[in-house]
């Protein structure tokens, strides 16, 4: 469920008409619904009721400070994967004890930054990282709390580029070596072992891969405890998918996921952390764009928009599907015809959809890409020297720009011409 609905023939975000925002700030722009973000966080929190748990929003999906503050005020933690994300989380008021630091390539500076500022734990991805973290922590007179990310060799049955739990993927340490690495961690003076981490991929549409991975983690927990380790926290990652309105794809509900976590891991008495991103933010956002031209080709029609692949990279990068709807609701029975929906970027890959059945649209009409709240604005760029698009947050009948569109002067001033030119 989301809060982007037609009302009297116009598409609204909660109680604000999207065409009103377009008239005020221009297009393209991202718009997020506070009510949807709140609801989706609550679904995960409720799904784990009865377990000691923390829902850590995977902010790589949507990292605007205003959104982080909204979720943090609800009690969410955050999962960060860079020093920049850590700084954003702290700027949003997220306390260190609710920040989990993930990622395969943490630098010494990032480790020191998080140790100095405070964090819940590092999710360590490799033996070399473990040794570097130990050295950094000792140099600061600290002990770094860690979980070790274990690769369970489970195929998440998702897109090749977002699968992370197979043995050929770059993430985590092999399950077969986990006990040896934990033994090594236990004798490092700068390391405090607190638990286990696992994350098998993104946009999963079945619980079966999760259950297979969590079963392996349950067995590993018991083995590590028998070895003398105090395993008191299990970080289960994220990955539960959302419906992108295609082929009746209906991923499991958070309640079903929560029941599976209770069933597979509830007997261990561990604190449970989960790191959902897409399911909290995905359907909480839309990208609004304006039709520039309707171009009739030799054997196809092109709907040319003012949004491009630099604004929404997922279709070009993953072949991802986004439902595209007009801001003016078509009348019942309006005929549709197939069109290619494309952007203005000088790449053939700047194509959002091919042969998509759409109602009649003309230059100047507005459309919205649904399910664009996750991995939309965060993956955008200024390719072709196109400014980053604004982000807007709506709550009830209030709306606010939470990231402004830079001017051309703003963009150009970041470039520095050396004195010898």
């Amino acid at each position: 469920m989301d809060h982007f609905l037609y009302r009297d023939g116009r598409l609204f975000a909660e109680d604000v008409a999207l065409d009103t925002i377009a008239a005020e700030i221009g297009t393209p722009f991202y718009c997020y619904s506070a009510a949807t973000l709140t609801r989706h966080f609550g679904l995960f929190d409720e799904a784990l009721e009865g377990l000691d748990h923390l829902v850590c929003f995977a902010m790589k999906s949507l990292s605007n400070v205003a959104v982080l503050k909204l979720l943090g005020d609800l009690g969410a933690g955050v999962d960060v994967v860079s020093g920049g994300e850590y700084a954003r989380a702290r700027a949003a008021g997220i306390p260190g004890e609710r920040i989990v630091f993930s990622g395969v390539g943490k630098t010494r500076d990032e480790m020191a930054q998080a140790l100095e500022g405070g964090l819940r734990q590092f999710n360590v991805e490799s033996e070399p990282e473990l040794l570097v973290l130990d050295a950094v922590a000792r140099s600061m007179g600290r002990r770094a709390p860690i979980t070790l990310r274990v690769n369970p060799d489970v195929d998440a049955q998702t897109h090749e580029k977002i699968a992370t739990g197979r043995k050929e993927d770059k993430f985590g340490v092999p399950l077969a070596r986990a006990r040896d690495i934990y033994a090594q961690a236990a004798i490092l003076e700068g390391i405090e072992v607190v638990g286990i981490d696992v994350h098998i991929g993104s946009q999963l549409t079945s619980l079966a891969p999760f259950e297979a991975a969590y079963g392996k983690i349950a067995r590993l927990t018991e083995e590590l405890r028998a070895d003398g380790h105090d395993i008191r926290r299990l970080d289960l990652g994220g990955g539960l998918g959302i419906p992108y309105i295609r082929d009746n794809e209906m991923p499991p509900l958070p309640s079903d996921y929560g029941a599976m976590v209770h069933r597979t891991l509830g007997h261990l008495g561990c604190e449970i952390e989960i790191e959902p991103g897409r399911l909290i933010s995905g359907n909480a956002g839309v990208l609004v764009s304006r039709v520039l031209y309707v171009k009739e080709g030799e054997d196809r029609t092109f709907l040319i928009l003012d949004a491009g692949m630099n604004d929404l990279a997922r279709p070009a990068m993953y072949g991802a599907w986004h439902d595209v709807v007009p801001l003016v609701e078509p009348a019942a029975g309006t005929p549709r015809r197939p069109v290619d929906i494309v952007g203005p970027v000088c790449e053939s890959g700047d194509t959002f959809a091919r042969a998509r059945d759409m109602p009649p649209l003309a230059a100047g009409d507005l459309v919205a890409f649904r399910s664009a709240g996750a991995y939309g604005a965060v993956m955008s760029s200024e390719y072709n020297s196109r400014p980053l698009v604004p982000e807007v947050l709506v709550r009830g009948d209030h709306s606010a720009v939470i990231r402004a569109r830079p001017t051309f002067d703003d963009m150009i001033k970041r470039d520095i011409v050396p004195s010898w030119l």
Side-chain angles (χ1 to χ4, degrees), residues 15-76:
D15 297 324
V16 179
L18 288 171
D19 57 7
T20 299
I21 300 174
E24 292 173 352
I25 67 170
T27 55
F29 65 88
Y30 279 96
C31 181
Y32 310 119
S33 160
T36 306
L37 290 162
T38 299
R39 179 179 185 273
H40 290 173
F41 168 77
L43 290 175
F44 277 109
D45 206 30
E46 293 165 10
L48 296 179
E49 189 174 356
L51 295 172
D52 186 10
H53 69 276
L54 180 65
V55 179
C56 294
F57 176 58
M59 64 175 283
K60 61 181 173 288
S61 70
L62 176 56
S63 61
N64 190 285
V65 171
V67 170
L68 299 179
K69 176 170 173 36
L70 184 155
L71 292 171
D73 288 351
L74 295 172

